[in-house]
Amino acid sequence: MPQPRSKRQRASTKRSRTGCRTCRVRHIKCDESPTACHNCTSNGWACDGYEVNRLPRPTELVKSRPSLPRPPVASGFRWASTPDEKRCVSFFLHRTIPSLTSYYDSSLWQKLVLQMCYSEPAVYHAVVALSAINQDLEKHGIPIPGSESGSTWHGFALEQCGRSFGLLSRRHILQDPQLREVLLVCCLLFVMLELVCGRFDDATAHLQSGLAILQELRNQRLLQGLALVPVEESLLEAFLHLESQAMHHGLVPSPLQLEVYGLQLGEKSHEFQTLRDVQQVLHPLTDAGFAFLARCWTATDIEMPERYAALYTEQHRILSALHQFSLDFDRFRIQYHHKQTQKERRGADTAYLTYRNMQLACKTALYAKSCPLPVSFTEEYVELLLVTLEAMDKLEDRPLMTVESAICPALFTIAARCPDYSVRWKAIEALWAWPHCEGYLNSRLTADVATEQMKREMRCLWTEMKMTGSPAPQGLLFETQDGGTSVWIEGAWLSLEPNQELARSLESVPSAPSWACVKASGILS
């Protein structure tokens, strides 16, 4: 028996997706009056205005990307939340946090940030913004600097950032005693959001704000004769790790970095019992190593002799500490490997890769950049590539973004300096195969920069071959057609013409000329 016409109409009617934010969270029809709706003004409610960007429906999203999950809607907030925001918080819980903690478990992300998302509105809106960007990037991929996305997800994220900024400003006026912690968590979320969008200078501005807050907090604790509490320590560790990466992107190290790691970096033996014990020793080592490498890679071959004595002393100190770490770490792996979970074993493998990469990168950092490294290093680079590819294979669901850096630095070390061009090309292909961000390290951008550096060296090699009549290195075949030169490497032709799109992309970033990798590659020279 057919339904009456009125019932059929009611069944097919769709709920309006417009209206002011206040009416939507109250689930009432909005009259959509300009500036503030009549419902709110007549009932004495504060009208939160109209959102320009609304997210696509979950069904629309699933059709466009079947692999995306549909997690349950988040609940339990002390304030009104829109359905779009709840969807983003659920995605943050089910996808973004597991991505950020792919290498190691982290109480910072798995406890602190999540707890504050449910108790602090400013953190809540920052989480929603990062989650919206995360969902957009899963669909469209990691952007390169200078590319602007006009997607609804980006517009929605921008609105959420604005709400977070507004709440922080109001709390600052009230002199809230919990403001520092809220500011630091929001800064961290904003840094990650800007990095995955390819806006490195904006990320650095947020990073510097967080470091300034931490410096002030640490000075206050020292005056009071107190140590930082665990929450503050976890935030300090995250910010210092990001700062060490940012030094390769033009950032000058803060006094905080020098104070903290100047005291922690040593050669004493440690008895590791947990993976967290390993991290607490390895993090200062790798961060100090990042800073050392940035100083080496930004120095020209003309400048290097003037800095050599100081850099050699620092190199010896770091390598000695890494050697002691390796002895302690080997004992830990033998003693505790059988007791570890699969995630902990993966974390131990990541720590091992990080150590191996830092050791080789620091060992070769003082060699002249204008000359190839001795062929005797090739075997170590091949071993590092095998360890890196093995670590990649163990990541079943490869993350889109992490704060920890392990895979990208190792592959760039190989792609930038290995004496064997075929090995370098394999590292570059591995970077392209997994588009993702590890803090400041964008795999797509890293691969492009390493490619341009290798092409520049090959152009010099080709010129030398033509002048001297010397043969091409094993595995390479050069060919010139219509004025352009290409090289046959690992079963494919690679044009040696400069990548003008990459150059234009980097020129859109004011700090790019001071980046260590850009200076070493000569892309903007």
Side-chain angles (χ1 to χ4, degrees):
M1 180 177 178
Q3 288 183 334
R5 179 178 176 82
S6 59
K7 289 187 178 181
R8 291 202 308 270
Q9 287 177 333
R10 285 198 297 271
S12 62
T13 299
K14 295 182 179 180
R15 181 181 296 177
S16 173
R17 301 189 78 238
T18 59
C20 77
R21 176 183 170 84
T22 305
C23 287
R24 283 173 44 234
V25 298
R26 290 176 177 271
H27 303 291
I28 61 176
K29 183 173 177 58
C30 180
D31 57 45
E32 302 183 31
S33 301
T35 309
C37 81
H38 181 69
N39 279 348
C40 294
T41 55
S42 61
N43 287 285
W45 304 331
C47 184
D48 286 338
Y50 302 92
E51 293 174 331
V52 177
N53 296 280
R54 297 294 308 282
L55 299 183
R57 296 178 184 277
T59 52
E60 296 169 3
L61 186 62
V62 170
K63 287 178 183 178
S64 64
R65 185 181 174 90
S67 61
L68 284 175
R70 299 182 63 180
V73 175
S75 59
F77 302 109
R78 295 181 297 156
W79 51 84
S81 303
T82 66
D84 286 347
E85 292 170 354
K86 289 179 180 179
R87 281 173 55 198
C88 285
V89 173
S90 289
F91 190 93
F92 185 81
L93 172 63
H94 291 272
R95 291 294 287 266
T96 305
I97 289 180
S99 175
L100 290 166
T101 58
S102 294
Y103 295 149
Y104 306 105
D105 285 328
S106 169
S107 60
L108 172 61
W109 293 101
Q110 293 164 318
K111 293 182 180 179
L112 175 63
V113 175
L114 192 59
Q115 289 170 354
M116 292 187 69
C117 172
Y118 280 83
S119 61
E120 298 289 347
V123 175
Y124 165 83
H125 287 292
V127 160
V128 171
L130 179 58
S131 176
I133 292 296
N134 189 176
Q135 293 178 72
D136 185 61
L137 297 184
E138 284 208 357
K139 185 176 181 181
H140 297 107
I142 299 291
I144 60 174
S147 59
E148 292 295 332
S149 172
S151 75
T152 301
W153 294 93
H154 277 254
F156 179 77
L158 185 61
E159 289 181 9
Q160 293 294 318
C161 286
R163 293 185 181 279
S164 182
F165 284 135
L167 290 164
L168 291 173
S169 298
R170 289 195 289 274
R171 290 189 66 163
H172 184 72
I173 295 173
L174 299 173
Q175 298 296 313
D176 191 331
Q178 300 298 321
L179 180 62
R180 276 181 179 155
E181 190 174 299
V182 176
L183 280 170
L184 286 169
V185 172
C186 286
C187 275
L188 182 59
L189 291 163
F190 293 146
V191 168
M192 294 305 300
L193 184 150
E194 300 293 0
L195 288 177
V196 294
C197 290
R199 299 190 288 261
F200 293 93
D201 287 354
D202 292 338
T204 298
H206 290 301
L207 178 64
Q208 288 175 310
S209 297
L211 289 167
I213 296 170
L214 283 164
Q215 179 74 68
E216 179 185 350
L217 185 60
R218 189 166 184 271
N219 290 341
Q220 181 181 331
R221 293 286 191 268
L222 289 174
L223 287 173
Q224 297 171 342
L226 302 172
L228 295 176
V229 300
V231 167
E232 297 163 348
E233 285 285 359
S234 65
L235 286 164
L236 175 65
E237 184 176 334
F239 274 93
L240 289 178
H241 186 61
L242 286 167
E243 183 187 19
S244 68
Q245 299 173 12
M247 290 181 201
H248 288 257
H249 293 74
L251 182 65
V252 177
S254 67
L256 188 61
Q257 174 102 200
L258 301 175
E259 289 173 14
V260 173
Y261 287 159
L263 294 173
Q264 290 186 8
L265 192 61
E267 302 172 25
K268 65 178 182 179
S269 178
H270 297 85
E271 292 292 335
F272 301 138
Q273 296 183 357
T274 66
L275 189 57
R276 180 59 187 158
D277 294 339
V278 173
Q279 289 177 268
Q280 288 179 326
V281 174
L282 184 60
H283 276 157
L285 268 174
T286 54
D287 291 352
F290 272 126
F292 167 72
L293 293 173
R295 286 189 283 274
C296 293
W297 291 351
T298 52
T300 65
D301 287 351
I302 297 175
E303 297 168 334
M304 185 59 77
E306 302 174 4
R307 308 181 187 179
Y308 189 85
L311 289 174
Y312 176 78
T313 301
E314 187 175 0
Q315 180 195 46
H316 177 75
R317 185 185 180 200
I318 292 173
L319 289 175
S320 296
L322 284 169
H323 175 69
Q324 182 59 58
F325 169 82
S326 70
L327 298 176
D328 300 334
F329 185 62
D330 286 344
R331 288 196 299 268
F332 166 76
R333 297 193 83 178
I334 293 171
Q335 186 174 357
Y336 292 99
H337 180 78
H338 66 285
K339 300 179 181 179
Q340 293 175 331
T341 64
Q342 183 178 359
K343 176 80 176 280
E344 289 171 336
R345 289 176 183 173
R346 191 167 67 225
D349 292 340
T350 301
Y352 177 69
L353 169 61
T354 302
Y355 146 71
R356 287 290 301 271
N357 170 55
M358 190 56 64
Q359 183 186 50
L360 182 55
C362 290
K363 187 191 299 185
T364 57
L366 299 183
Y367 281 85
K369 290 180 281 293
S370 58
C371 302
L373 287 176
V375 179
S376 57
F377 281 112
T378 301
E379 185 177 348
E380 290 187 64
Y381 280 102
V382 171
E383 289 177 359
L384 180 60
L385 178 61
L386 293 175
V387 171
T388 307
L389 295 178
E390 184 179 358
M392 290 175 63
D393 290 340
K394 291 182 179 179
L395 287 168
E396 298 175 358
D397 187 11
R398 294 181 177 177
L400 182 74
M401 58 179 170
T402 68
V403 179
E404 298 284 348
S405 53
I407 303 294
C408 278
L411 291 176
F412 182 75
T413 295
I414 301 162
R417 294 309 305 269
C418 180
D420 188 325
Y421 284 112
S422 297
V423 177
R424 292 170 70 170
W425 185 245
K426 289 176 182 176
I428 291 171
E429 288 184 317
L431 283 166
W432 277 330
W434 175 15
H436 71 294
C437 289
E438 297 180 23
Y440 272 80
L441 303 174
N442 178 318
S443 64
R444 180 181 174 186
L445 183 60
T446 301
D448 287 343
V449 170
T451 302
E452 289 307 294
Q453 180 174 337
M454 190 171 75
K455 285 161 61 175
R456 185 188 187 196
E457 294 177 22
M458 286 184 171
R459 288 196 294 269
C460 294
L461 177 62
W462 174 236
T463 300
E464 181 182 347
M465 287 168 56
K466 290 189 295 184
M467 293 176 61
T468 63
S470 57
Q474 185 177 0
L476 300 183
L477 175 63
F478 289 87
E479 180 180 87
T480 299
Q481 291 183 347
D482 300 326
T485 303
S486 299
V487 62
W488 178 262
I489 180 171
E490 284 298 304
W493 284 104
L494 171 66
S495 171
L496 297 187
E497 296 302 309
N499 185 339
Q500 299 299 337
E501 182 183 356
L502 175 62
R504 286 191 295 271
S505 172
L506 291 172
E507 286 169 354
S508 69
V509 184
S511 67
S514 64
W515 292 5
C517 60
V518 172
K519 293 182 73 173
S521 65
I523 296 173
L524 299 181
S525 298

